[in-house]
Amino acid sequence: MIPPPKNVKQDARAPSTTELPLDQNLGRITNSVGIPVVNEINPLTVGPHGPILLQDAYLIDKLSHFDRERIPERVVHAKGGGAHGYFEVTKDVSHLTCADFLSAVGKRTPMFARFSTVAKEMGSADTVRNPRGFALKFYTQEGNFDMVGNNTPVFFERNPSAFKDLIAVQKRDPRTHLPSANMFWDYFTLRPVSFHQLLIQFSNRGTPDGFRHMHGYSSHTYKLINHNGLVHYVKWHFRTNQGVKNLSAKHAGELAGTEPDYAIQDLFNAIERKEYPSWTLYFQVLTEKEALNYKYDVLDVTKVISQKDFPLQEVGRFVLDRNPENYFAEVEQAAFAPSHLVPGIAPSADRMLQGRLFSYTDTHLHRLGPNHAQLPINSPINPINTTIRDGPLIMGANGGRNPPYYPNSYGGPHPDPNVREYENDYNVEGIVGRYEYELCERDFEQPRALFKLLAASEQQDLISNLAEDVAMTHEYIQRRVVGVLERIDATFAKRVQEALAKS
């Protein structure tokens, strides 16, 4: 055995606990079906200089799998990191929901979290200016509950048909294959409702200092249903217990060049050091009447609900205390979907949420296949009892001999009419049509309030970040940016215009 090198300086960024023991014996190597391999390096050839034989099954096994080892990259949330942990209830919310994992103070539920950039590619830097995905999978006794949020309380758009477009302008120009400020600002100046999110993105909050120092939000309004069928409208807030920290544009840019995996590395190393990050969950709760009469549409994801009007109510906290053993199996194959809702939690009529109920699951069918829920990272801890059968890559007994249909004469399985999927007296009626959200003065009130809430130094950072990016666009787009900002705040617009003139 070759002895380990001496006097080699340990990379401070990589804890020694991640290294494998040098004296372990993992046994003999096999092919993918367990057959022992006689030689890992040398192919089967006709003589020392002759051609390779087709009967070299191990070489073919190895190369053919290598040719297929990449799965499609996520269109959104491609680059990210994750960890395992647990969620613990700290306050009684049983009056709000019949969800089992929220039923009692002290109850713990295993979970997995994945954080990511939203619109960038797998090979992009962790510190780019972009929203961050904040996806949580709770392995409850009633199935998996996924909270698929972001690190911002609002989003760019409120109609799901716009989702494809707002992502497309943050990708690459179809001709140059380069990021395009013209494409980005051309679209968003024609969709001014996006500026609430854009002000957050171009503030220092657009470049969080890793994943541990950012809040998470459901962004959408959800419904909670209690045992009596009573409904409340709720926004979910996950507030970091590490304190919020952001990067300046300059520092974020430097890290993009020197440490492009900064956030993934920071999360991993903190857990290896046993500095387990945690977040406290709070609800903002509205009755149906309060939601109906609120000054802003609670189903419009471009708006926040003021904490002065509806204060945060503590629910519990989650702690991440275990790193993945295999990134691909646990992080890359993790499949989150807003449609994964357990009894007691239901979607609202938020249009963007309604679109995501379909789109996320459809993405996993494309990336991972129809049986992606059977992968260990996605499999629930409670028994799966379904008539869904077959398809590629079945894991387990595929339902065995039990009938793959319902109803049947052989004992089920059968539906449970007591499950709280919707509230009592859930009723929707109206004339079918394509109803437009009309842009109005109210759409600029919250961006205005956000700008005024920022400290003077934060305002200046926002102005500088905007001007630096907008300066790369055509003059007519620059004028449109300033025009939208004037509807938010005239002084704000003037300062951006002045900054553009100097650029």
Side-chain angles (χ1 to χ4, degrees):
M1 180 181 292
I2 300 174
K6 298 180 179 180
N7 301 321
V8 176
K9 185 177 180 181
Q10 174 77 27
D11 185 345
R13 298 172 299 172
S16 60
T17 51
T18 65
E19 295 181 2
L20 295 172
L22 295 175
D23 57 352
Q24 69 175 343
N25 184 350
L26 298 178
R28 63 183 182 182
I29 194 167
T30 74
N31 70 3
S32 60
V33 294
I35 299 170
V37 173
V38 65
N39 192 303
E40 171 68 20
I41 302 297
N42 300 308
L44 194 63
T45 63
V46 180
H49 304 294
I52 294 173
L53 297 183
L54 185 62
Q55 74 183 58
D56 190 343
Y58 180 61
L59 175 65
I60 292 172
D61 179 48
K62 192 173 181 180
L63 290 181
S64 60
H65 186 277
F66 171 70
D67 294 340
R68 295 165 176 82
E69 70 180 19
R70 290 292 172 264
I71 60 176
E73 182 178 294
R74 289 172 170 91
V75 178
V76 290
H77 304 285
K79 175 81 180 292
H84 299 268
Y86 64 87
F87 172 80
E88 182 174 2
V89 179
T90 56
K91 300 292 181 181
D92 182 15
V93 291
S94 59
H95 60 291
L96 294 175
T97 178
C98 60
D100 178 73
F101 81 103
L102 297 174
S103 61
V105 173
K107 186 160 192 171
R108 284 193 176 187
T109 299
M111 60 166 295
F112 182 78
R114 183 178 186 271
F115 310 112
S116 59
T117 50
V118 170
K120 302 304 179 182
E121 303 145 344
M122 177 68 84
S124 63
D126 287 351
T127 59
V128 293
R129 185 170 301 284
N130 205 236
R132 300 300 190 268
F134 199 101
L136 311 175
K137 186 180 295 291
F138 300 85
Y139 302 98
T140 87
Q141 295 295 332
E142 296 180 306
N144 291 352
F145 166 59
D146 290 352
M147 172 50 65
V148 193
N150 283 331
N151 73 325
T152 58
V154 296
F155 196 59
F156 298 97
E157 288 278 3
R158 48 198 174 191
N159 281 310
S161 58
F163 190 81
K164 175 265 177 193
D165 303 299
L166 70 89
I167 295 298
V169 301
Q170 299 181 70
K171 298 291 189 180
R172 293 177 178 269
D173 183 279
R175 185 186 183 203
T176 66
H177 196 59
L178 297 171
S180 170
N182 278 315
M183 195 163 67
F184 183 94
W185 289 106
D186 178 46
Y187 173 82
F188 285 120
T189 53
L190 296 172
R191 299 291 299 164
V193 72
S194 63
F195 269 63
H196 192 182
Q197 172 79 322
L198 289 173
L199 294 199
I200 297 173
Q201 182 167 324
F202 280 85
S203 74
N204 291 334
R205 289 173 62 185
T207 49
D209 188 348
F211 299 136
R212 295 184 299 131
H213 296 287
M214 64 184 189
H215 295 326
Y217 305 87
S218 65
S219 302
H220 303 290
T221 301
Y222 284 77
K223 292 179 180 179
L224 294 183
I225 307 159
N226 68 12
H227 288 278
N228 298 318
L230 183 66
V231 67
H232 288 85
Y233 286 85
V234 176
K235 283 187 180 286
W236 302 56
H237 298 246
F238 300 89
R239 300 182 71 85
T240 177
N241 295 319
Q242 290 69 244
V244 172
K245 292 183 181 179
N246 300 310
L247 302 170
S248 67
K250 183 176 184 294
H251 192 194
E254 291 169 349
L255 287 171
T258 60
E259 297 182 63
D261 301 317
Y262 174 80
I264 296 174
Q265 180 176 281
D266 175 74
L267 176 65
F268 185 93
N269 288 357
I271 294 173
E272 289 295 294
R273 295 192 305 266
K274 302 187 185 305
E275 296 174 9
Y276 303 134
S278 66
W279 286 257
T280 300
L281 168 61
Y282 297 87
F283 285 157
Q284 272 186 298
V285 182
L286 294 80
T287 65
E288 284 189 285
K289 184 177 180 180
E290 288 170 333
L292 182 64
N293 295 319
Y294 192 56
K295 56 189 174 183
Y296 296 108
D297 182 356
V298 301
L299 305 180
D300 179 354
V301 74
T302 68
K303 306 290 185 294
V304 297
I305 297 173
S306 172
Q307 294 178 28
K308 293 180 180 178
D309 298 330
F310 296 95
L312 300 182
Q313 301 180 28
E314 183 180 333
V315 179
R317 70 169 188 147
F318 75 84
V319 179
L320 301 180
D321 59 2
R322 180 165 60 89
N323 278 316
E325 286 298 310
N326 185 280
Y327 180 92
F328 183 87
E330 298 166 66
V331 182
E332 185 62 16
Q333 291 193 128
F336 301 86
S339 56
H340 295 167
L341 300 169
V342 294
I345 304 173
S348 71
D350 176 328
R351 290 186 184 182
M352 185 62 79
L353 175 57
Q354 291 282 316
R356 294 175 75 219
L357 296 177
F358 160 77
S359 185
Y360 277 61
T361 300
D362 190 56
T363 291
H364 306 319
L365 294 173
H366 160 63
R367 291 185 66 245
L368 302 170
N371 290 308
H372 64 270
Q374 297 181 23
L375 293 166
I377 191 64
N378 299 320
S379 182
I381 59 174
N382 61 312
I384 298 173
N385 203 12
T386 179
T387 58
I388 296 173
R389 294 286 192 276
D390 306 341
L393 301 179
I394 279 287
M395 300 180 190
N398 195 30
R401 67 175 65 183
N402 294 327
Y405 58 91
Y406 173 86
N408 63 70
S409 303
Y410 307 102
H414 52 78
D416 181 357
N418 296 316
V419 170
R420 282 292 183 190
E421 186 175 15
Y422 298 106
E423 65 267 29
N424 286 345
D425 303 320
Y426 182 55
N427 183 44
V428 178
E429 61 180 36
I431 298 173
V432 173
R434 298 188 182 275
Y435 296 93
E436 183 179 357
Y437 269 117
E438 293 186 4
L439 189 72
C440 63
E441 170 58 25
R442 185 161 293 183
D443 291 311
F444 300 96
E445 291 175 355
Q446 292 193 1
R448 184 180 305 125
L450 173 62
F451 178 72
K452 292 181 177 179
L453 185 65
L454 297 176
S457 62
E458 294 173 317
Q459 288 185 356
Q460 185 55 54
D461 287 341
L462 170 60
I463 290 165
S464 298
N465 294 338
L466 280 170
E468 182 179 354
D469 204 66
V470 175
M472 294 185 287
T473 68
H474 299 305
E475 286 190 12
Y476 70 89
I477 294 178
Q478 294 182 27
R479 289 193 295 269
R480 286 212 310 248
V481 171
V482 173
V484 175
L485 295 179
E486 284 177 342
R487 299 188 68 175
I488 296 172
D489 184 273
T491 302
F492 179 22
K494 183 179 179 181
R495 291 173 66 184
V496 171
Q497 189 173 32
E498 290 172 348
L500 284 169
K502 295 176 183 178
S503 61

